[in-house]
Each structure stands twice: as structure tokens, then as C-alpha cells.
Amino acid sequence: MQRKKIAVIGIGSFGKLLTRYLFAEGHEVFAIDKKEDVIQEIKDHCTVAVVLDATDESALRSQGIEDLDIVVLAIADDFETSIICADLLKKMNAKNIYARYQTDLQIRIFHLLGIRNIFNPEEQAARSMAEILGFSGMKANFLLSDEYSVSEVVVPKRYINKTISDLDLREKYEINIITIKRPIQEKDKKRSSDSTQGKILGIPEGNMVLKENDTLVIFASQKNINRFLEG
């Protein structure tokens, strides 16, 4: 994994989690917020924690923002600050700006500023949860775009004891199998470092036989994943 330099501006609930996860993954993370108590709370879970006003151009420049790989505007409750900061980031030629939106109007304004990478964590989480709850065989669903996602699904009963070639998922459903997770046998659990996740079987070959309780990690459009689960 390539270590990246990432700034997270706005350390609310989402920004705090994002900062911690990125730092845990080994990235160099700059946490920025105007509230000192928030920065004190996150300082041990990031590379640099800075109290500053995101609408202050000189303060932003002092952090070398333009040299970072990614800047995430995670501010949720102050859109005026988001817009001013986004405009400053564009002026500073910051790379790969990701901006959080809440309404369609905010999407249009960000687009007018030339920012194309926009996200709404609540909407993405709700959609993923809806997919998981809607299909009993789905265990996890990560949306990559409005159309495509990576999902974990329990192998349907109709495919147990069949090979991957027998499934012919690419032809029937335009689905690609990334890997397979298989439950660890009781006798092997003591030797496994993470028995709760199961054993990852790597890139599956066509002659691999699927077993009961296997989990398929697949990439496809939401529509085709739904067709696959419905049978």
C-alpha cells in the first residue's frame, strides 16, 4: 500500500472516524478544525493536529496543503465555510479535493467551483444498509459509485458444491468474483490470527468448488448483484 499524505478538514463525527481509520491504515493524516477541544481529542490518532480557521488562506498555506495527495472537506454543519475553503483550495492548486455535500444545491455549487469528487456519508451508509437488509444473503456492501459496488454475499444454496466455472457469473450476471472467504474449521481456529473473518482463499480458479457458508466477494453493478441474489 502506498502511504499518502491526506488532510481532513472538519473533525466532526465523520471526520474523526475517517482520520482514525486513515491513520490506522498507515497514512500521514493532517487533522484540521477550528475547535481546540476537538483537535485535542484527535491528536493521538493522526500525524498532525492543527487548530485553524479553514477560511484563512495564509493559515491553510502554512500547512503545505498544496503538497498533500488528498484533501477531504468533511465539514457538515457550515456550508459557507466549506465553500470558502473549497475556493481557497482550488486557488492553491490542492490535489484531489473531496467535498462533503448535503443537498442538490450544494452539489451544483461544488461543481461550479470545479470540484467533482463529492460525497455524502449518510446517503452512502443508508444505501448500503438498505441493500444489506433487503437481501438476506448479503453481508456487506461497499458502494464505489452510483452504479457499481463491491459486496460480500453468502453463496446461494443453488451453487453449493459447484465450481466457479459452473456458475458462469460473468456471462449470466456480469459479476466478477474478487475472492472467497471460507469459515475456519474449529480445529484450525487456534492457529488463525483472525478466526472471525474466515480464511481468504485468494484469487479463485475456475475449478474451485464452493462450500456451504462460503462468502463471495464480488464486483458488479447493484442491478446485477440484485439479480444474482434473487435467483
Side-chain angles (χ1 to χ4, degrees), residues 1 5 12 19 21 48 63 96 110 113 139 164 200 211:
M1 180 190 71
K5 295 181 178 180
T19 297
Y21 288 148
V48 177
Q63 301 305 310
N96 299 319
F110 278 131
L113 289 174
K139 298 174 67 177
I164 289 176
I200 304 297
K211 298 183 179 180

Side-chain angles (χ1 to χ4, degrees), residues 137-207:
M138 186 177 290
K139 298 174 67 177
N141 189 45
F142 177 71
L143 297 170
L144 299 177
S145 69
D146 288 340
E147 185 177 0
Y148 290 95
S149 67
V150 173
S151 298
E152 294 185 11
V153 299
V154 177
V155 61
K157 290 183 178 180
R158 64 186 185 276
Y159 291 133
I160 293 173
N161 295 325
K162 292 187 177 181
T163 67
I164 289 176
S165 295
D166 291 335
L167 273 61
D168 200 14
L169 295 186
R170 186 172 296 180
E171 183 66 27
K172 291 180 181 177
Y173 299 104
E174 297 181 28
I175 284 176
N176 290 295
I177 299 178
I178 299 171
T179 190
I180 295 171
K181 293 182 180 180
R182 178 161 293 166
I184 295 174
Q185 298 297 318
E186 203 64 39
K187 63 180 181 179
D188 297 323
K189 284 188 177 181
K190 291 183 179 180
R191 291 178 293 180
S192 172
S193 61
D194 192 355
S195 61
T196 63
Q197 294 296 316
K199 182 180 180 180
I200 304 297
L201 301 185
I203 299 174
E205 300 289 341
N207 61 356

Side-chain angles (χ1 to χ4, degrees), residues 7-189:
V8 179
I9 301 176
I11 311 300
S13 298
F14 171 76
K16 189 182 302 180
L17 286 172
L18 180 62
T19 297
R20 293 174 68 114
Y21 288 148
L22 288 171
F23 186 64
E25 288 292 327
H27 298 291
E28 191 172 339
V29 186
F30 294 69
I32 296 173
D33 199 281
K34 63 182 180 181
K35 298 178 181 178
E36 186 171 355
D37 59 330
V38 170
I39 290 300
Q40 286 297 319
E41 191 176 335
I42 197 67
K43 67 179 183 179
D44 294 330
H45 305 284
C46 60
T47 310
V48 177
V50 184
V51 179
L52 64 77
D53 182 352
T55 64
D56 185 333
E57 182 177 352
S58 61
L60 283 175
R61 287 188 181 277
S62 72
Q63 301 305 310
I65 293 291
E66 64 273 19
D67 297 324
L68 303 184
D69 298 303
I70 298 170
V71 180
V72 181
L73 263 174
I75 301 168
D77 55 358
D78 188 348
F79 188 62
E80 181 179 357
T81 294
S82 290
I83 288 298
I84 295 172
C85 184
D87 190 44
L88 290 176
L89 292 172
K90 292 294 292 184
K91 181 180 177 181
M92 294 162 59
N93 294 317
K95 308 167 191 173
N96 299 319
I97 303 168
Y98 286 77
R100 182 178 184 175
Y101 74 88
Q102 291 182 308
T103 68
D104 290 341
L105 176 60
Q106 292 175 359
I107 293 174
R108 292 196 293 272
I109 293 173
F110 278 131
H111 284 175
L112 286 172
L113 289 174
I115 295 175
R116 295 290 178 263
N117 298 320
I118 57 175
F119 66 95
N120 181 309
E122 294 85 2
E123 180 181 339
Q124 290 176 316
R127 287 179 58 189
S128 294
M129 182 59 72
E131 292 293 339
I132 292 169
L133 297 178
F135 294 95
S136 58
M138 186 177 290
K139 298 174 67 177
N141 189 45
F142 177 71
L143 297 170
L144 299 177
S145 69
D146 288 340
E147 185 177 0
Y148 290 95
S149 67
V150 173
S151 298
E152 294 185 11
V153 299
V154 177
V155 61
K157 290 183 178 180
R158 64 186 185 276
Y159 291 133
I160 293 173
N161 295 325
K162 292 187 177 181
T163 67
I164 289 176
S165 295
D166 291 335
L167 273 61
D168 200 14
L169 295 186
R170 186 172 296 180
E171 183 66 27
K172 291 180 181 177
Y173 299 104
E174 297 181 28
I175 284 176
N176 290 295
I177 299 178
I178 299 171
T179 190
I180 295 171
K181 293 182 180 180
R182 178 161 293 166
I184 295 174
Q185 298 297 318
E186 203 64 39
K187 63 180 181 179
D188 297 323
K189 284 188 177 181

